[in-house]
Amino acid sequence: MVEYRLEDLARISGVSARNIRAYRERGLLDSPRRVGRSAYYGDRHLAQLTAISQLLAKGFNSAHIADFFAALRSGKDLPDALGIEASEWCRPTTLVLSVDPSGDDVRTLVEFGLLHVVDGTVELTDPALIALIGGTEDHRRVVRSTAHLARATGASIESLADAAAAALAECPGGATDPELAVLARAVISAGVNRALSARSRRI
C-alpha cells in the first residue's frame, strides 16, 4: 500500500498542505495513520481530495461536502447523502450494450444470468453492474473480461455455494430462514473481497 507524507500528498493532489489540514479538521478528510509524530496518508485520502476538489468546482461549499461524506461513511447511498427523495426514478433499470448478441462471451454471461438478449438486443439489468460500467464506452472489452472471469470462477462459485448451503442447513432454521441466507451472502462477499484485496497487493 502506497503511503504519503503531508507534503507528498499536497504535491500529488495539487491541494495545499494548509487546506489538507483544514479539510481534516472539518471532517472532510479521513484521519491519517500516525506513527509517533508522523502522519501517513494513502490512496483513499488522495481519492477524497480529488472528490472534494471536484465538488468545490461544482459550487458546493465545504459544509455541504462534509455532510455528504458523513452520510456516505454511515452507509447511506448518494440520494440519501444529498438529502433527496430519489426512490427508483434516478436509477437505470436496464443498460443496452453495443455487442454482438450471438457471441460466445454474451452466451456465457446469459448462462450466468448476468445478461439478457431481448429481440436481438443485449441488455444488462443488474443494478450493481449498471452502476459499475454505465459510463464505459467499450462494451465489448467489458463483456469479454466479465465472461473470462465468469468462466474462470464458475466451478469454484458452485463449490462455494454448495459449502454455504451445507453450512446453512446446520444452523437452526437455516434452510428456511431468509435472514440467514442474506447473512451467508454477506459473509461470502466479504470473504471474497478480502481475498481479492490481499492478492491484488501481491501483484
Side-chain angles (χ1 to χ4, degrees), residues 1-93:
M1 182 175 63
V2 179
E3 291 191 312
Y4 314 96
R5 296 291 188 101
L6 177 60
E7 296 75 16
D8 295 327
L9 182 65
R11 176 177 51 81
I12 295 169
S13 67
V15 178
S16 69
R18 179 180 178 181
N19 281 345
I20 290 174
R21 291 192 189 95
Y23 294 158
R24 196 178 67 211
E25 291 169 0
R26 296 173 189 168
L28 279 73
L29 195 67
D30 288 350
S31 297
R33 185 176 73 87
R34 292 196 175 277
V35 179
R37 300 185 65 181
S38 299
Y40 295 93
Y41 299 82
D43 287 336
R44 178 182 177 86
H45 297 96
L46 185 58
Q48 288 174 337
L49 287 173
T50 300
I52 290 167
S53 297
Q54 292 171 337
L55 290 169
L56 287 172
K58 291 181 181 294
F60 294 100
N61 62 39
S62 58
H64 289 144
I65 298 171
D67 288 342
F68 297 160
F69 283 11
L72 292 172
R73 288 185 184 109
S74 71
K76 294 182 179 178
D77 60 15
L78 185 57
D80 288 335
L82 293 172
I84 61 176
E85 186 76 32
S87 186
E88 296 300 316
W89 64 265
C90 66
R91 301 180 180 92
T93 57

